[in-house]
Amino acid sequence: AQSVSQHNHHVILSEAASLELGCNYSYGGTVNLFWYVQYPGQHLQLLLKYFSGDPLVKGIKGFEAEFIKSKFSFNLRKPSVQWSDTAEYFCAVNAPRNTGTASKLTFGTGTRLQVTL
Amino acid sequence: GAVVSQHPSRVICKSGTSVKIECRSLDFQATTMFWYRQFPKQSLMLMATSNEGSKATYEQGVEKDKFLINHASLTLSTLTVTSAHPEDSSFYICSARPALGAGEETQYFGPGTRLLVL
């Protein structure tokens, strides 16, 4: 079974600070990796995704993530956070559809990011 | 594109009544939709996978007779919470995955439905 770990539960940063949120997964085969963001009172939105190819993935709003297969990691980064980045961030993983599974998403527990002015 | 809607956005009901939540993919067809439950300050927990034209697949521990899922078309899935009790109060979220052939593994999420059972 798949599992996803997000070790940072609550992160507080000042504006302009750099961000790195950790995500590690456990799965024995090929995976698709996602970061979703949930702003206060809003629904989940896709930040970025990795299916294959370049392990450094760029997403919306200046976020990027790097897939390191040897470490089973997919950490999220942003060089300079803004107050508007305050939100809950979820890492998720599923198996490719052609593996015959239902491609169910397994979510990490989430990281609450608070950016102060 | 890739917009998913849910209706209602919030509902309050009396214990023992049934509540139906709709999930629609507005600008794409979805052979598969997923229903999640999110508790306050916690992650999303998958309840069931809904496939168009077939029975839903429920996760372990989820009562299929209590949480009825119907995926009648490629753009609509419904979740009915039958004989709701206060412990069913939660935030229910659906997601939809574009149909096979679109080359898309991404799930797009609805805005969620907050259910409060009194």
Side-chain angles (χ1 to χ4, degrees), chain A residues 76-112:
Chain A
L76 180 71
R77 301 194 292 250
K78 186 171 184 178
S80 176
V81 295
Q82 300 174 310
W83 179 80
S84 58
D85 293 324
T86 295
E88 188 91 17
Y89 291 81
F90 294 95
C91 182
V93 61
N94 71 7
R97 201 181 314 190
N98 59 10
T99 60
T101 69
S103 294
K104 300 183 294 185
L105 268 178
T106 300
F107 283 87
T109 51
T111 298
R112 183 173 298 276

Short mmCIF file of all heavy atoms in Angstrom, two decimals, chain A residues 76-112:
data_model
loop_
_atom_site.label_atom_id
_atom_site.label_comp_id
_atom_site.label_asym_id
_atom_site.label_seq_id
_atom_site.Cartn_x
_atom_site.Cartn_y
_atom_site.Cartn_z
N LEU A 76 8.67 20.24 -1.77
CA LEU A 76 8.14 21.47 -2.38
C LEU A 76 9.00 22.65 -1.97
O LEU A 76 9.36 22.77 -0.79
CB LEU A 76 6.70 21.69 -1.92
CG LEU A 76 5.98 22.92 -2.47
CD1 LEU A 76 5.68 22.74 -3.95
CD2 LEU A 76 4.69 23.18 -1.69
N ARG A 77 9.30 23.53 -2.91
CA ARG A 77 10.15 24.68 -2.61
C ARG A 77 9.58 25.95 -3.23
O ARG A 77 8.87 25.91 -4.24
CB ARG A 77 11.56 24.46 -3.13
CG ARG A 77 12.27 23.24 -2.55
CD ARG A 77 13.75 23.28 -2.84
NE ARG A 77 14.04 23.12 -4.27
CZ ARG A 77 14.60 22.06 -4.78
NH1 ARG A 77 14.90 21.04 -4.02
NH2 ARG A 77 14.88 22.02 -6.07
N LYS A 78 9.93 27.06 -2.58
CA LYS A 78 9.66 28.38 -3.15
C LYS A 78 10.73 29.32 -2.61
O LYS A 78 10.96 29.36 -1.40
CB LYS A 78 8.26 28.88 -2.77
CG LYS A 78 7.91 30.20 -3.46
CD LYS A 78 6.45 30.57 -3.28
CE LYS A 78 6.13 31.84 -4.06
NZ LYS A 78 4.71 32.24 -3.97
N PRO A 79 11.40 30.04 -3.48
CA PRO A 79 12.54 30.87 -3.04
C PRO A 79 12.14 32.00 -2.09
O PRO A 79 12.91 32.35 -1.19
CB PRO A 79 13.10 31.45 -4.34
CG PRO A 79 12.47 30.70 -5.44
CD PRO A 79 11.22 30.09 -4.93
N SER A 80 10.94 32.55 -2.29
CA SER A 80 10.55 33.71 -1.50
C SER A 80 9.03 33.69 -1.31
O SER A 80 8.28 33.93 -2.25
CB SER A 80 10.97 35.00 -2.24
OG SER A 80 10.52 36.15 -1.54
N VAL A 81 8.61 33.38 -0.09
CA VAL A 81 7.17 33.25 0.15
C VAL A 81 6.52 34.61 0.35
O VAL A 81 7.14 35.58 0.74
CB VAL A 81 6.88 32.35 1.36
CG1 VAL A 81 7.34 30.93 1.10
CG2 VAL A 81 7.51 32.91 2.64
N GLN A 82 5.22 34.62 0.07
CA GLN A 82 4.42 35.82 0.28
C GLN A 82 3.34 35.52 1.31
O GLN A 82 2.99 34.36 1.55
CB GLN A 82 3.77 36.24 -1.04
CG GLN A 82 4.76 36.57 -2.14
CD GLN A 82 4.08 36.83 -3.46
OE1 GLN A 82 3.25 36.03 -3.89
NE2 GLN A 82 4.42 37.93 -4.10
N TRP A 83 2.79 36.58 1.88
CA TRP A 83 1.73 36.42 2.88
C TRP A 83 0.57 35.61 2.30
O TRP A 83 -0.04 34.79 2.98
CB TRP A 83 1.25 37.80 3.32
CG TRP A 83 0.16 37.74 4.33
CD1 TRP A 83 0.25 37.51 5.66
CD2 TRP A 83 -1.24 37.92 4.05
NE1 TRP A 83 -1.00 37.53 6.24
CE2 TRP A 83 -1.93 37.79 5.27
CE3 TRP A 83 -1.97 38.19 2.89
CZ2 TRP A 83 -3.32 37.93 5.36
CZ3 TRP A 83 -3.34 38.32 2.99
CH2 TRP A 83 -4.00 38.19 4.22
N SER A 84 0.32 35.78 1.01
CA SER A 84 -0.78 35.09 0.36
C SER A 84 -0.53 33.59 0.19
O SER A 84 -1.44 32.86 -0.23
CB SER A 84 -1.06 35.71 -1.01
OG SER A 84 0.09 35.66 -1.82
N ASP A 85 0.67 33.13 0.51
CA ASP A 85 0.95 31.69 0.44
C ASP A 85 0.48 30.97 1.69
O ASP A 85 0.59 29.74 1.77
CB ASP A 85 2.45 31.45 0.24
CG ASP A 85 2.95 31.92 -1.11
OD1 ASP A 85 2.19 31.79 -2.10
OD2 ASP A 85 4.10 32.42 -1.18
N THR A 86 -0.02 31.69 2.66
CA THR A 86 -0.56 31.07 3.86
C THR A 86 -1.68 30.12 3.48
O THR A 86 -2.67 30.51 2.87
CB THR A 86 -1.11 32.14 4.83
OG1 THR A 86 -0.02 32.95 5.28
CG2 THR A 86 -1.80 31.50 6.02
N ALA A 87 -1.48 28.84 3.81
CA ALA A 87 -2.42 27.81 3.36
C ALA A 87 -1.99 26.46 3.93
O ALA A 87 -0.98 26.36 4.63
CB ALA A 87 -2.46 27.73 1.84
N GLU A 88 -2.78 25.45 3.61
CA GLU A 88 -2.44 24.06 3.95
C GLU A 88 -1.93 23.41 2.67
O GLU A 88 -2.54 23.55 1.61
CB GLU A 88 -3.69 23.34 4.46
CG GLU A 88 -3.43 21.97 5.03
CD GLU A 88 -3.16 21.99 6.52
OE1 GLU A 88 -3.50 22.99 7.17
OE2 GLU A 88 -2.63 20.99 7.03
N TYR A 89 -0.82 22.71 2.79
CA TYR A 89 -0.21 22.09 1.61
C TYR A 89 -0.21 20.57 1.79
O TYR A 89 0.22 20.06 2.83
CB TYR A 89 1.23 22.60 1.42
CG TYR A 89 1.27 24.05 1.02
CD1 TYR A 89 1.15 25.05 1.99
CD2 TYR A 89 1.39 24.43 -0.31
CE1 TYR A 89 1.15 26.40 1.62
CE2 TYR A 89 1.41 25.76 -0.68
CZ TYR A 89 1.27 26.74 0.29
OH TYR A 89 1.28 28.07 -0.08
N PHE A 90 -0.69 19.89 0.76
CA PHE A 90 -0.80 18.44 0.82
C PHE A 90 0.02 17.80 -0.31
O PHE A 90 -0.12 18.17 -1.47
CB PHE A 90 -2.25 17.99 0.66
CG PHE A 90 -3.16 18.39 1.79
CD1 PHE A 90 -3.92 19.54 1.71
CD2 PHE A 90 -3.24 17.60 2.93
CE1 PHE A 90 -4.76 19.92 2.76
CE2 PHE A 90 -4.08 17.97 3.98
CZ PHE A 90 -4.84 19.12 3.88
N CYS A 91 0.82 16.84 0.07
CA CYS A 91 1.52 16.01 -0.89
C CYS A 91 0.67 14.76 -1.14
O CYS A 91 0.02 14.26 -0.21
CB CYS A 91 2.89 15.62 -0.33
SG CYS A 91 3.91 14.63 -1.42
N ALA A 92 0.65 14.29 -2.36
CA ALA A 92 -0.17 13.11 -2.67
C ALA A 92 0.52 12.27 -3.73
O ALA A 92 1.31 12.77 -4.54
CB ALA A 92 -1.57 13.53 -3.14
N VAL A 93 0.18 11.00 -3.73
CA VAL A 93 0.79 10.07 -4.68
C VAL A 93 -0.27 9.10 -5.19
O VAL A 93 -1.20 8.75 -4.46
CB VAL A 93 1.95 9.31 -4.00
CG1 VAL A 93 1.47 8.50 -2.81
CG2 VAL A 93 2.65 8.39 -4.99
N ASN A 94 -0.14 8.72 -6.44
CA ASN A 94 -0.94 7.59 -6.94
C ASN A 94 -0.12 6.81 -7.96
O ASN A 94 0.96 7.23 -8.37
CB ASN A 94 -2.30 8.03 -7.50
CG ASN A 94 -2.22 8.80 -8.81
OD1 ASN A 94 -1.17 8.92 -9.40
ND2 ASN A 94 -3.35 9.30 -9.26
N ALA A 95 -0.63 5.65 -8.27
CA ALA A 95 0.04 4.81 -9.26
C ALA A 95 -0.54 5.12 -10.63
O ALA A 95 -1.71 5.47 -10.74
CB ALA A 95 -0.16 3.34 -8.92
N PRO A 96 0.25 5.02 -11.67
CA PRO A 96 -0.26 5.30 -13.01
C PRO A 96 -1.43 4.39 -13.36
O PRO A 96 -1.51 3.24 -12.92
CB PRO A 96 0.94 5.00 -13.92
CG PRO A 96 2.12 5.18 -13.04
CD PRO A 96 1.68 4.72 -11.68
N ARG A 97 -2.34 4.92 -14.13
CA ARG A 97 -3.57 4.22 -14.46
C ARG A 97 -3.31 2.90 -15.14
O ARG A 97 -4.00 1.93 -14.92
CB ARG A 97 -4.43 5.11 -15.35
CG ARG A 97 -5.89 4.74 -15.36
CD ARG A 97 -6.67 5.64 -16.27
NE ARG A 97 -6.36 7.05 -16.11
CZ ARG A 97 -7.07 8.02 -16.68
NH1 ARG A 97 -8.11 7.70 -17.42
NH2 ARG A 97 -6.72 9.28 -16.54
N ASN A 98 -2.25 2.83 -15.95
CA ASN A 98 -2.02 1.61 -16.72
C ASN A 98 -1.48 0.46 -15.88
O ASN A 98 -1.25 -0.63 -16.38
CB ASN A 98 -1.07 1.88 -17.90
CG ASN A 98 0.28 2.40 -17.45
OD1 ASN A 98 0.60 2.40 -16.27
ND2 ASN A 98 1.08 2.86 -18.40
N THR A 99 -1.30 0.71 -14.61
CA THR A 99 -0.87 -0.38 -13.73
C THR A 99 -2.06 -1.23 -13.30
O THR A 99 -1.91 -2.21 -12.60
CB THR A 99 -0.17 0.16 -12.47
OG1 THR A 99 -1.08 1.00 -11.76
CG2 THR A 99 1.05 0.95 -12.85
N GLY A 100 -3.23 -0.81 -13.71
CA GLY A 100 -4.41 -1.60 -13.40
C GLY A 100 -5.08 -1.23 -12.10
O GLY A 100 -6.06 -1.83 -11.71
N THR A 101 -4.54 -0.23 -11.41
CA THR A 101 -5.18 0.17 -10.16
C THR A 101 -6.18 1.28 -10.44
O THR A 101 -6.26 1.78 -11.54
CB THR A 101 -4.14 0.69 -9.15
OG1 THR A 101 -3.62 1.93 -9.62
CG2 THR A 101 -3.02 -0.32 -8.99
N ALA A 102 -6.89 1.65 -9.42
CA ALA A 102 -7.86 2.72 -9.58
C ALA A 102 -7.23 4.08 -9.52
O ALA A 102 -7.92 5.08 -9.54
CB ALA A 102 -8.93 2.58 -8.50
N SER A 103 -5.91 4.13 -9.43
CA SER A 103 -5.18 5.40 -9.34
C SER A 103 -5.66 6.24 -8.18
O SER A 103 -5.79 7.45 -8.29
CB SER A 103 -5.32 6.19 -10.65
OG SER A 103 -4.68 5.51 -11.69
N LYS A 104 -5.92 5.59 -7.08
CA LYS A 104 -6.37 6.32 -5.90
C LYS A 104 -5.26 7.20 -5.37
O LYS A 104 -4.12 6.80 -5.30
CB LYS A 104 -6.77 5.31 -4.80
CG LYS A 104 -7.89 4.37 -5.20
CD LYS A 104 -8.28 3.47 -4.05
CE LYS A 104 -7.18 2.52 -3.68
NZ LYS A 104 -7.63 1.57 -2.64
N LEU A 105 -5.63 8.39 -5.00
CA LEU A 105 -4.67 9.32 -4.42
C LEU A 105 -4.52 9.03 -2.93
O LEU A 105 -5.51 8.89 -2.21
CB LEU A 105 -5.14 10.76 -4.58
CG LEU A 105 -4.69 11.55 -5.80
CD1 LEU A 105 -5.31 12.93 -5.76
CD2 LEU A 105 -3.18 11.65 -5.87
N THR A 106 -3.30 8.95 -2.49
CA THR A 106 -3.01 8.86 -1.06
C THR A 106 -2.39 10.17 -0.65
O THR A 106 -1.40 10.61 -1.24
CB THR A 106 -2.05 7.69 -0.77
OG1 THR A 106 -2.66 6.47 -1.20
CG2 THR A 106 -1.77 7.61 0.72
N PHE A 107 -2.98 10.79 0.35
CA PHE A 107 -2.53 12.11 0.80
C PHE A 107 -1.65 12.00 2.03
O PHE A 107 -1.82 11.13 2.88
CB PHE A 107 -3.73 13.00 1.15
CG PHE A 107 -4.44 13.56 -0.05
CD1 PHE A 107 -5.44 12.84 -0.68
CD2 PHE A 107 -4.10 14.81 -0.54
CE1 PHE A 107 -6.09 13.36 -1.79
CE2 PHE A 107 -4.75 15.34 -1.64
CZ PHE A 107 -5.73 14.61 -2.27
N GLY A 108 -0.73 12.95 2.13
CA GLY A 108 -0.03 13.14 3.38
C GLY A 108 -0.94 13.89 4.35
O GLY A 108 -2.04 14.31 4.00
N THR A 109 -0.47 14.06 5.56
CA THR A 109 -1.28 14.69 6.60
C THR A 109 -1.38 16.20 6.45
O THR A 109 -2.16 16.84 7.13
CB THR A 109 -0.74 14.36 7.99
OG1 THR A 109 0.66 14.67 8.00
CG2 THR A 109 -0.94 12.89 8.32
N GLY A 110 -0.58 16.75 5.56
CA GLY A 110 -0.67 18.18 5.32
C GLY A 110 0.31 18.99 6.15
O GLY A 110 0.70 18.58 7.24
N THR A 111 0.70 20.12 5.62
CA THR A 111 1.56 21.07 6.33
C THR A 111 0.88 22.43 6.30
O THR A 111 0.55 22.94 5.24
CB THR A 111 2.95 21.20 5.69
OG1 THR A 111 3.61 19.95 5.74
CG2 THR A 111 3.77 22.26 6.40
N ARG A 112 0.68 22.97 7.47
CA ARG A 112 0.08 24.30 7.56
C ARG A 112 1.19 25.34 7.50
O ARG A 112 2.08 25.36 8.36
CB ARG A 112 -0.70 24.44 8.87
CG ARG A 112 -1.44 25.78 9.02
CD ARG A 112 -2.31 25.75 10.27
NE ARG A 112 -3.32 24.72 10.19
CZ ARG A 112 -4.50 24.85 9.59
NH1 ARG A 112 -4.82 26.02 9.02
NH2 ARG A 112 -5.35 23.87 9.58
#
